Structures are given as C-alpha cells and as structure tokens.
Amino acid sequence: MVKMFMIVNVPEYVYGVCKIFVLCRVHGGEFVKNIETTGFEYFAENEIPNLALAKNNEEQVKMCFRAYNDPNWEVEFD
C-alpha cells in the first residue's frame, strides 16, 4: 500500500516537479563545489540546518529520517 499525503513545496511552479530522495553512502572521494551544490554537511535529525526552501523543506528532510529509521517504510507520493 502506498501512503498518499501532501508536502508543501515552496515556491509553487507552473510546471511539474518530481522530487526523489535517495539514501547514499560515501565510498571515498571528496566534495567538489559546483553550480548545483555549494557545500555539504552531515547533521542529526534535531539539528536540521537552514535549507534552500526552493529545493527542500524541513518536512521533507524529516520524512527522510523517518524512512531511514523505519524498516517497514512504505514509499510516499503526493
């Protein structure tokens, strides 16, 4: 069963946006600043940093933590 819910995406665009969150693991290498990402850092669920709200919001990050911590997680669509 797929959970259906609504996560508010800011700003609203006149075109469709598909956001996919993927769990990744670091296997070496180093971060290189680029046109999409200016930096990265690890943080705990209770230490969510300021976000670029046009890309992600706090509720979306919290959803990722819930998914990571729940072995029976079901994919969510809005």
Side-chain angles (χ1 to χ4, degrees):
M1 183 171 135
V2 174
K3 298 177 191 176
M4 301 296 284
F5 71 106
M6 188 68 158
I7 291 181
V8 176
N9 290 302
V10 178
E12 291 187 23
Y13 295 106
V14 295
Y15 51 87
V17 175
C18 178
K19 292 185 181 183
I20 300 172
F21 299 92
V22 179
L23 175 62
C24 300
R25 300 193 190 284
V26 176
H27 292 280
E30 61 185 50
F31 173 77
V32 177
K33 183 177 176 178
N34 58 74
I35 62 171
E36 291 187 358
T37 308
T38 58
F40 84 99
E41 63 184 271
Y42 296 100
F43 54 87
E45 185 174 2
N46 63 344
E47 298 173 336
I48 297 173
N50 292 330
L51 302 168
L53 295 178
K55 297 179 180 183
N56 300 310
N57 63 47
E58 187 171 334
E59 180 54 35
Q60 292 166 334
V61 173
K62 287 180 178 182
M63 177 194 66
C64 292
F65 276 104
R66 289 193 305 271
Y68 177 77
N69 291 312
D70 183 350
N72 298 310
W73 181 260
E74 295 181 16
V75 176
E76 295 185 358
F77 293 89
D78 77 6

